[in-house]
Amino acid sequence: MLPEILGLASRTLAADAYALWRRDDADDSWTVAAHSGLPDEYVASATAAIRGAPAAISLDEPIVAEDISAADWLSPSHREAHAAAGTRSMLVTGLRYGDRVLGTLAFYYREPRTFTEAEKGSASLLANLAAAAIGTAELYEAQRRLADDQRFVAEASELLASSLEYETTLANLATLAVPHFADWCAIDMVEQDGSIGRLAVAHVDPAKIRWAGELAEKYPPDPDAAYGVPNVVRTRRPELFPEIPEELLREAAGDTPELYELLSELGLKSSLCVPLVARDRVLGAITFVSAESGRRYSQADLATAQDLARRAATAVDNALLFREAQAARREAQESLAVVDAMFTATPIGLAFMDTDHRFVRVNQALATINGVTVEEHFGRSLREVLGDRRAAEIEPYHRQVLETGKPILDLPVQGETAAAPGEKRNWLVSYYPVRDASGNTIGIGVLISDVTEREEARAAAEAATERLRILAEASQQLASTLDYKTTLANIAQLLVPRFADWCAVDIVTDDGTFRRLAVVHKDPSKAEWGEKSKRLYSSDPNEPEGTGRVVRTGEAVLYPTITDELLEASTQNREHYEVLKQLGIESAMVVPLTASGRRLGALMLVSADADRPYTEDDLEFAKHLARRAAVAVDNARLYRAAEQRARAALVVEHVGDGVMLLDRAGVVRLWNPAAEHITGLAVADAVGQPAQELFGSWDAIASLSQLGQARPVTQAVDVSGRELWLSITGVGFQGGSVYAFRDLTSERAIETLRSDFVSTVSHELRTPLAAIYGAALTLRREDVPLGEPQRAGLLEVIASESDRLARIVNDILWVSRLESGGMHSRIEQCDGVELARSVVDTARHYVPPSITLGFSAPKRAPRVAADADKLRQVLTNLVDNAVKYSPDGGKVDVEIAVAGDWLRFSVSDEGLGVPPAEHRRIFEKFYRLDPDLTRGVGGTGLGLYISRELLERMGGRIWVESGGHGGSIFIVELPVGD
Ligand code: ADP
């Protein structure tokens, strides 16, 4: 239409060039829409000039520039443009349509000129005409676009309603928008995780779509961008860019100039972005962009787009809702199917009964338990299905559940199914109230689980544990005693009642018959019958069954059930039968007790309960137990043997007799500690040596074992240069010979001592006796007249020798008292000084004139703790000895001194003295320095022994030292008193 306007203009008013300028309402920008006769340079530079500074001039009247160069209302750049194009004057009329200025119609001339009113009028007229035409066309165009958009919206709505596949629908919608409404259309959705994903992009050119896709991939959009989809989704506010500003592209390109290039190349002109919001939820956004079409989106377009977005959002929401609903339904259906399948297939019996106790639904498992088909249950009552008796048992539970609204859980029930009568089953039954959605009880749910196998498994596990326990206890029992009879009896005790109601142990006696060792019954009142069975039981080893059979064959026997006939056949008489009947016998096992191949007997285990018959399993256990018992018996025997050997070795170790074992070559193989002790030969020196080399006079000993001499022989032998008196016995055996010997050396010495004593005592006794006898004979003689002095002298001899005799006898008595332990001392505080003084005073009466008695004591001396009589005896003995063993006279001094805690008595003489080597021995019993009395001084050799013994009993001590003048000093010390 615009060229036509220009043609009309040229025909109306002659000019050198014409132009139709259009003004954009939105931004008051101006462009040349059509022209003729104008150079392109002018169009460009003039457009630029106007954009830079639009003329503020009224278009109500035609604008006349008769000389452009002088028209200062034009911008200098605009005037320059004219100068360049060579236009000198112009006439411009406004194109007005209503209130709007649509543009201008301009006439240009190369020469300056003046315009007539007519020319101006014609131009105005033409302009009005053109404005009307353009306005109408525009209106028409707007109408058409509106219609187009409406059609698009309608089509889109139809599309949106056509499918619940919203992804496809939205993609189609994008395609539908192109190119009528937009050159580009993109749809982005908010994903479940909140991120934004592109669902569809549409453009007429598929190559461009690919290119845009690659672009987006290479330069992913910033999810936090302040414009575009992220912004719209975030703010829920639409975005309208009538003109996409340069800066937006720059911002979108960021630091990447290349991207800016590419975006510019797309030639994006205007854009619209609207959120997809449904039920207050942002689902995504639709973006419309114009490029090639040059369309500029207006508010009206935004409204259209929003309308479309609303519809699309609703459609998507519906689709989503539908999808969810569908998924929910599918899920519900699936779970219903699962429940149904479970209901049908579960091995747990399930039933639903209404409040009238009628079956509404049952599953196969329950039908099987009830012994009626599933169908036969429907609508029938408990009584009709199960019969009066069972129904009467169950109904109270149903009623309870209905009344209380509380379930009854895991009720243990025993019974049998119709399918397998006679087979005991264990069930756990639960009853639940079933309620409808509003909470009203509408019936009862019944749940029956069969726990028979579980119970059986539990019982089996328990039995296994019990057996292990029995085994453990049995092992302990078996190890606790070495007497196998006791052990076996204890085992029997252990098995009752856990493994048997009663149990008997029979053993084979030496003569091959059986003896009942033990009978244990779980019921103590049956003890009498057990005893009877013991007494009665002298089972015939040839009996066909029971213990006889088992011991004979060595094989265990299981009698799972013992019938009366069997019992009768296998008992010897009526009484035996009666006893067994009384004890109770329904099932039994007999297992052999075999140790080291020897049949010791048998173990009989009996179950008196017909419901608990023994099985092969039980038999295996019993056999196992019997084997263990047998092994224990064996071990006990071996142990006993080993122990006996060990004990023998122990005896040899500890026996007081020397024991020596020689091998056949006569080499010592065993040499016990006593042998070591007696001979002084260590084991290491004896063992491995020929006996001949150890003993001096071996041949005499060797002959003992050959003779098989049982009686001991006392023999002097020479062992490493020592003479020993041994009492020896010897025995030969296959592998050599054994000798036992006892040391008699000291006994021998005592023997010698004793005979010495006897001779000494005899001698001692004989001397005074001879004197007495001689004196008595002389006195009796009548042929010899005796003067009175002689007579007195003889009597004096008799008296003094009798006294000596008495003293000797007294000494011997003392010794015997000391040795028999019949001597008691009474320790008290006594004045040692006074006591010694009196001893010395007494001695003065009888000491020969050649002896000078001296006594000295400290003025004050402590008292001593001693038995005064015994101390006196000791001191008297010492003074007597000092005098006695000073045959040539001299001084005898008794001195008393305090030495620490001791009171010391010294008796010194100048007599014969005691050689230092004999200082100890003179205190021995019967020991005398001069037994042969070469110096004519007699004694028993007991005085010093008695003194030492007495002092020891009083806590004192005595020793002898050599004196200064060849004599000796006897020193006695006693503890001072308190
Ligand atoms: P007895 O005097 O009766 O022989 P004792 O036991 O009193 O017996 O003495 C033992 C021996 O000690 C005496 O035989 C004697 O040889 C010797 N003996 C004892 N006292 C003295 C002494 N004072 N001087 C020398 N020898 C003594």
Side-chain angles (χ1 to χ4, degrees):
M1 191 181 75
L2 298 181
E4 277 168 32
I5 293 173
L6 284 182
L8 190 63
S10 64
R11 282 195 300 276
T12 312
L13 203 67
D16 296 318
Y18 309 87
L20 187 88
W21 286 82
R22 287 294 317 262
R23 173 182 169 268
D24 192 330
D25 273 343
D27 55 358
D28 194 25
S29 62
W30 292 81
T31 46
V32 175
H35 70 92
S36 72
L38 278 179
D40 283 345
E41 291 78 33
Y42 169 79
V43 171
S45 52
T47 310
I50 291 170
R51 186 176 300 147
I57 195 162
S58 165
L59 285 172
D60 292 347
E61 296 292 321
I63 304 161
V64 176
E66 291 180 340
D67 182 0
I68 290 176
S69 59
D72 49 5
W73 50 272
L74 279 173
S75 67
S77 56
H78 200 174
R79 274 181 275 163
E80 268 168 42
H82 279 289
T87 42
R88 303 289 303 277
S89 60
M90 66 176 177
L91 173 65
V92 181
T93 53
L95 300 174
R96 298 179 61 99
Y97 186 72
D99 294 340
R100 288 171 62 211
V101 175
L102 301 178
T104 55
L105 186 59
F107 303 83
Y108 305 97
Y109 300 87
R110 293 185 192 287
E111 298 301 331
R113 63 169 292 184
T114 312
F115 296 98
T116 65
E117 279 310 308
E119 279 172 331
K120 286 186 212 169
S122 302
S124 289
L125 197 69
L126 190 60
N128 288 343
L129 204 65
I134 291 171
T136 311
E138 258 189 18
L139 211 60
Y140 172 73
E141 178 59 26
Q143 216 72 48
R144 192 186 56 81
R145 187 169 284 168
L146 201 66
D148 252 10
D149 289 352
Q150 270 168 359
R151 195 171 56 249
F152 161 59
V153 171
E155 270 178 54
S157 302
E158 205 173 310
L159 189 68
L160 288 167
S162 70
S163 156
L164 287 165
E165 270 300 307
Y166 75 86
E167 291 91 344
T168 324
T169 311
L170 289 178
N172 290 342
L173 179 80
T175 316
L176 194 68
V178 171
H180 305 294
F181 192 69
D183 296 314
W184 291 92
C185 179
I187 296 177
D188 296 275
M189 300 300 286
V190 177
E191 310 279 346
Q192 227 133 39
D193 62 356
S195 68
I196 294 166
R198 181 138 294 180
L199 182 77
V201 180
H203 190 275
V204 277
D205 182 356
K208 281 207 171 173
I209 297 176
R210 265 200 310 282
W211 187 53
E214 282 161 21
L215 206 66
E217 208 162 286
K218 200 166 169 195
Y219 306 102
D222 176 9
D224 301 321
Y227 55 87
V229 177
N231 180 44
V232 169
V233 164
R234 202 167 47 240
T235 62
R236 299 183 177 198
R237 277 212 294 275
E239 223 177 57
L240 165 64
F241 290 109
E243 191 87 42
I244 294 177
E246 185 82 355
E247 305 80 67
L248 198 67
L249 290 187
R250 285 198 191 282
E251 210 186 311
D255 305 332
T256 324
E258 187 204 5
L259 181 59
Y260 174 72
E261 288 292 309
L262 294 169
L263 288 174
S264 310
E265 231 168 277
L266 282 172
L268 308 177
K269 181 130 180 68
S270 178
S271 78
L272 257 182
C273 185
V274 286
L276 291 167
V277 181
R279 285 189 294 136
D280 212 27
R281 207 151 59 101
V282 186
L283 305 172
I286 309 180
T287 312
F288 301 99
V289 182
S290 77
E292 297 86 351
S293 66
R295 178 170 182 169
R296 296 177 75 251
Y297 291 115
S298 61
Q299 288 294 335
D301 296 329
L302 182 61
T304 305
Q306 274 180 304
D307 181 27
L308 185 71
R310 257 191 308 276
R311 288 165 197 251
T314 309
V316 170
D317 192 40
N318 281 344
L320 284 173
L321 278 175
F322 176 72
R323 215 170 273 185
E324 271 166 31
Q326 221 172 11
R329 190 162 54 236
R330 197 164 42 239
E331 220 165 79
Q333 265 167 356
E334 269 167 21
S335 52
L336 208 65
V338 168
V339 168
D340 221 41
M342 270 170 60
F343 187 84
T344 316
T346 180
I348 296 172
L350 296 168
F352 172 62
M353 313 199 62
D354 64 16
T355 45
D356 296 332
H357 310 293
R358 287 184 184 279
F359 288 96
V360 178
R361 228 188 136 177
V362 296
N363 72 350
Q364 187 52 49
L366 191 92
T368 309
I369 294 170
N370 285 349
V372 180
T373 67
V374 170
E375 291 72 25
E376 281 171 309
H377 279 83
F378 297 144
R380 295 172 70 194
S381 71
L382 211 52
R383 270 169 204 280
E384 283 164 338
V385 173
L386 295 177
D388 286 348
R389 197 179 54 82
R390 297 238 345 250
E393 283 169 11
I394 299 169
E395 270 172 7
Y397 293 121
H398 284 203
R399 266 199 295 279
Q400 185 187 325
V401 170
L402 288 176
E403 277 161 23
T404 63
K406 292 209 177 80
I408 297 171
L409 301 176
D410 291 341
L411 208 64
V413 174
Q414 266 198 347
E416 35 193 70
T417 60
E423 196 180 294
K424 282 215 178 68
R425 310 296 300 175
N426 290 304
W427 291 293
L428 285 181
V429 184
S430 298
Y431 301 102
Y432 299 87
V434 177
R435 298 191 176 89
D436 64 9
S438 40
N440 300 320
T441 304
I442 53 168
I444 300 153
V446 183
L447 195 148
I448 305 181
S449 48
D450 190 326
V451 291
T452 312
E453 275 74 29
R454 199 167 82 194
E455 280 292 304
E456 278 170 2
R458 195 184 53 77
E462 235 165 53
T465 316
E466 184 65 8
R467 283 177 192 189
L468 274 180
R469 207 173 297 138
I470 292 176
L471 260 190
E473 282 174 36
S475 302
Q476 211 173 1
Q477 280 285 2
L478 291 168
S480 67
T481 165
L482 291 175
D483 173 18
Y484 80 90
K485 290 180 187 167
T486 315
T487 305
L488 294 178
N490 286 348
I491 294 260
Q493 197 80 45
L494 203 74
L495 294 172
V496 176
R498 295 191 286 182
F499 194 54
D501 291 321
W502 62 277
C503 166
V505 181
D506 301 314
I507 55 162
V508 183
T509 59
D510 290 338
D511 60 6
T513 58
F514 297 150
R515 186 160 75 78
R516 183 143 284 183
L517 196 66
V519 178
V520 183
H521 202 289
K522 69 167 178 185
D523 180 358
S525 68
K526 297 284 174 89
E528 171 205 346
W529 293 100
E531 282 310 309
K532 239 180 212 163
S533 119
K534 251 177 164 175
R535 209 184 56 243
L536 259 174
Y537 198 77
S538 53
S539 180
D540 172 10
N542 294 317
E543 67 176 359
E545 290 300 335
T547 303
R549 170 178 160 184
V550 169
V551 170
R552 205 168 51 246
T553 62
E555 298 285 337
V557 198
L558 168 69
Y559 303 100
T561 44
I562 294 182
T563 55
D564 235 21
E565 297 82 68
L566 178 64
L567 197 61
E568 236 165 313
S570 52
T571 46
Q572 294 133 346
N573 50 44
R574 194 70 210 160
E575 199 185 357
H576 189 194
Y577 170 87
E578 244 343 285
V579 169
L580 287 180
K581 266 282 161 199
Q582 281 299 330
L583 287 169
I585 183 163
E586 291 293 343
S587 174
M589 313 186 270
V590 187
V591 288
L593 295 163
T594 310
S596 299
R598 201 159 63 94
R599 310 246 163 90
L600 302 172
L603 181 68
M604 176 159 82
L605 295 156
V606 183
S607 169
D609 182 354
D611 279 347
R612 272 200 306 133
Y614 285 123
T615 62
E616 283 292 338
D617 219 29
D618 296 325
L619 185 67
E620 276 313 307
F621 173 68
K623 275 176 13 189
H624 185 72
L625 194 75
R627 264 198 301 276
R628 281 226 181 170
V631 168
V633 167
D634 239 13
N635 283 348
R637 257 202 1 231
L638 289 174
Y639 179 78
R640 236 188 332 253
E643 202 185 36
Q644 256 163 11
R645 271 200 298 276
R647 235 179 255 152
L650 211 64
V651 167
V652 169
E653 264 316 278
H654 289 93
V655 77
D657 286 2
V659 175
M660 157 173 83
L661 182 111
L662 305 185
D663 61 15
R664 267 197 283 189
V667 173
V668 176
R669 291 291 165 213
L670 189 145
W671 188 255
N672 75 344
E676 273 189 319
H677 181 74
I678 293 169
T679 62
L681 264 177
V683 182
D685 300 328
V687 170
Q689 299 297 318
Q692 202 160 13
E693 286 176 20
L694 299 179
F695 293 90
S697 33
W698 175 251
D699 291 344
I701 304 172
S703 61
L704 289 174
S705 67
Q706 281 148 21
L707 290 171
Q709 187 84 24
R711 267 188 57 205
V713 169
T714 306
Q715 175 89 36
V717 292
D718 188 8
V719 183
S720 25
R722 235 170 20 112
E723 192 197 53
L724 293 176
W725 280 87
L726 301 181
S727 161
I728 310 180
T729 47
V731 182
F733 66 100
Q734 239 189 345
S737 45
V738 183
Y739 296 89
F741 48 88
R742 186 168 295 180
D743 187 11
L744 294 183
T745 310
S746 54
E747 278 89 340
R748 184 88 192 173
I750 288 168
E751 199 77 6
T752 314
L753 220 59
R754 194 168 292 141
S755 60
D756 285 355
F757 170 70
V758 170
S759 68
T760 311
V761 168
S762 313
H763 183 89
E764 289 296 311
L765 292 177
R766 199 183 298 131
T767 312
L769 262 180
I772 294 167
Y773 184 61
L777 275 185
T778 310
L779 281 174
R780 213 176 61 172
R781 273 173 76 163
E782 287 164 10
D783 55 331
V784 183
L786 288 173
E788 204 42 46
Q790 283 166 311
R791 234 181 142 73
L794 285 171
L795 284 173
E796 172 59 33
V797 167
I798 289 172
S800 69
E801 289 304 313
S802 297
D803 181 52
R804 187 170 160 202
L805 251 181
R807 260 195 292 128
I808 293 168
V809 171
N810 205 33
D811 275 359
I812 293 169
L813 280 175
W814 267 107
V815 170
S816 105
R817 271 167 71 194
L818 280 170
E819 293 189 347
S820 70
M823 222 282 304
H824 301 288
S825 8
R826 222 177 63 231
I827 310 288
E828 54 195 3
Q829 309 287 325
C830 40
D831 186 345
V833 176
E834 209 38 55
L835 204 138
R837 194 195 308 277
S838 87
V839 168
V840 173
D841 286 347
T842 309
R844 287 190 205 285
H845 296 296
Y846 60 83
V847 291
S850 56
I851 300 286
T852 325
L853 260 179
F855 177 80
S856 70
K859 280 213 176 69
R860 297 172 63 84
R863 295 164 84 82
V864 286
D867 181 329
D869 283 346
K870 296 192 171 110
L871 177 57
R872 181 193 309 279
Q873 187 181 344
V874 169
L875 293 175
T876 305
N877 184 33
L878 291 181
V879 172
D880 277 0
N881 274 357
V883 172
K884 194 163 69 177
Y885 294 104
S886 299
D888 303 326
K891 272 177 69 180
V892 169
D893 282 323
V894 176
E895 274 177 45
I896 295 172
V898 181
D901 289 341
W902 304 88
L903 192 67
R904 174 181 289 186
F905 303 81
S906 316
V907 181
S908 55
D909 63 58
E910 297 171 340
L912 298 173
V914 181
E918 306 289 341
H919 280 182
R920 271 179 171 286
R921 300 204 69 186
I922 55 169
F923 293 97
E924 284 176 15
K925 191 165 53 175
F926 296 118
Y927 193 82
R928 311 189 66 228
L929 280 181
D930 184 15
D932 304 326
L933 306 181
T934 45
R935 295 299 308 262
V937 183
T940 54
L942 292 173
L944 287 180
Y945 167 75
I946 293 167
S947 297
R948 188 192 67 187
E949 291 294 312
L950 289 177
L951 282 168
E952 268 176 19
R953 281 165 173 72
M954 292 189 283
R957 51 200 185 190
I958 180 168
W959 71 96
V960 64
E961 289 172 6
S962 294
H965 300 280
S968 44
I969 310 170
F970 282 83
I971 299 158
V972 168
E973 280 185 352
L974 277 165
V976 299
D978 300 323

